């Protein structure tokens, strides 16, 4: 209510997301309503903020900046669902987070999110999507713009994929 009236959805969204991330990591957060509810509220605030921006006379650049969604909330939800055994929900949120990383040209986040998605695609129905995610990681780890941490996450995922079939290949990936 008040966030919309005062135009303060973005600051509340940022504070709520930070609080939820701390709560999810096990920190004692005063007045926390738990990570799931906090992230759900953050998603609503993000949508509300984007809708509010339509009411203001902003340049296209300003509007793009204000409504930019890099997928961080969906990524955090995916990780938390994954940790709590809700693989299907995790996959749904990883997919959204991956799409946002693609839209925003965030290669390091893209690699990490593809690794996350790959790890929750475990059923026979998921084989093709898992292979597609793995193939995309294989391409991205050679990007010049990928930070070492992103490359390492990608190499670990590829080694995990290769290990059951080709142990030597998996070891070679990890020693690059």
């Amino acid at each position: 209510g008040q966030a919309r009236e005062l135009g303060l959805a973005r600051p509340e969204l940022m504070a709520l997301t930070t609080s939820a991330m701390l709560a999810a990591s096990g920190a004692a957060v005063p007045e926390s309503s738990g990570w799931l509810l906090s992230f759900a509220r953050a998603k609503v605030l993000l949508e509300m903020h984007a809708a509010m921006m339509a009411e203001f006379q902003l340049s296209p650049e300003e509007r793009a900046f204000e409504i930019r969604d890099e997928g961080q909330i969906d990524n955090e939800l995916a990780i938390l669902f994954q940790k709590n055994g809700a693989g299907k929900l995790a996959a749904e949120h990883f997919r959204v987070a991956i799409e946002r990383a693609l839209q925003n040209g965030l290669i390091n986040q893209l690699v990490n999110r593809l690794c996350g998605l790959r790890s929750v695609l475990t059923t026979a129905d998921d084989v093709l999507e898992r292979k597609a995610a793995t193939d995309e990681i294989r391409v991205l780890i050679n990007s010049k713009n990928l930070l070492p941490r992103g490359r390492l996450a990608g190499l670990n995922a590829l080694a995990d994929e290769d290990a059951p079939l080709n142990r030597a290949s998996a070891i070679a990936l990890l020693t690059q």
Side-chain angles (χ1 to χ4, degrees):
Q2 214 175 20
R4 183 171 181 82
E5 292 168 17
L6 300 175
L8 298 175
R10 176 70 75 182
E12 184 178 344
L13 164 69
M14 293 169 71
L16 190 58
T17 303
T18 300
S19 173
M21 289 171 68
L22 288 169
S25 71
V29 179
E31 299 182 31
S32 174
S33 53
W35 60 263
L36 183 56
L37 182 57
S38 294
F39 278 124
R41 286 182 57 208
K43 277 193 66 88
V44 169
L45 281 169
L46 185 64
E47 292 169 8
M48 186 176 81
H49 181 74
M52 286 172 33
M53 291 303 102
E55 299 172 13
F56 297 102
Q57 292 183 348
L58 301 173
S59 71
E61 296 81 17
E62 290 171 320
R63 186 174 319 286
F65 175 80
E66 285 294 332
I67 65 171
R68 182 176 173 158
D69 176 6
E70 296 180 352
Q72 184 64 33
I73 295 169
D74 281 291
N75 190 62
E76 293 297 329
L77 281 167
I79 292 167
L80 292 167
F81 285 132
Q82 178 184 25
K83 287 180 180 176
N84 287 282
K88 287 189 184 295
L89 285 170
E92 288 177 30
H93 285 280
F94 274 128
R95 289 181 191 109
V96 172
I98 287 166
E99 183 61 32
R100 298 294 184 271
L102 282 166
Q103 290 170 348
N104 290 288
L106 304 171
I107 188 169
N108 290 288
Q109 290 87 335
L110 177 59
V111 169
N112 283 313
R113 293 167 187 182
L114 284 165
C115 291
L117 176 63
R118 201 196 127 277
S119 71
V120 297
L121 297 174
T122 58
T123 69
D125 295 339
D126 300 327
V127 170
L128 292 176
E129 188 177 7
R130 182 179 169 107
K131 182 181 178 336
T134 302
D135 291 346
E136 184 68 16
I137 293 167
R138 283 189 202 284
V139 171
L140 291 171
I141 61 166
N142 294 313
S143 173
K144 292 179 182 177
N145 296 328
L146 188 63
L147 295 174
R149 191 171 70 190
R151 187 167 193 280
L152 182 60
L155 289 170
N156 281 334
L158 296 178
D160 179 61
E161 189 71 22
D162 289 354
L165 302 172
N166 188 340
R167 188 174 170 92
S169 172
I171 292 169
L173 284 166
L174 294 173
T175 57
Q176 285 189 22

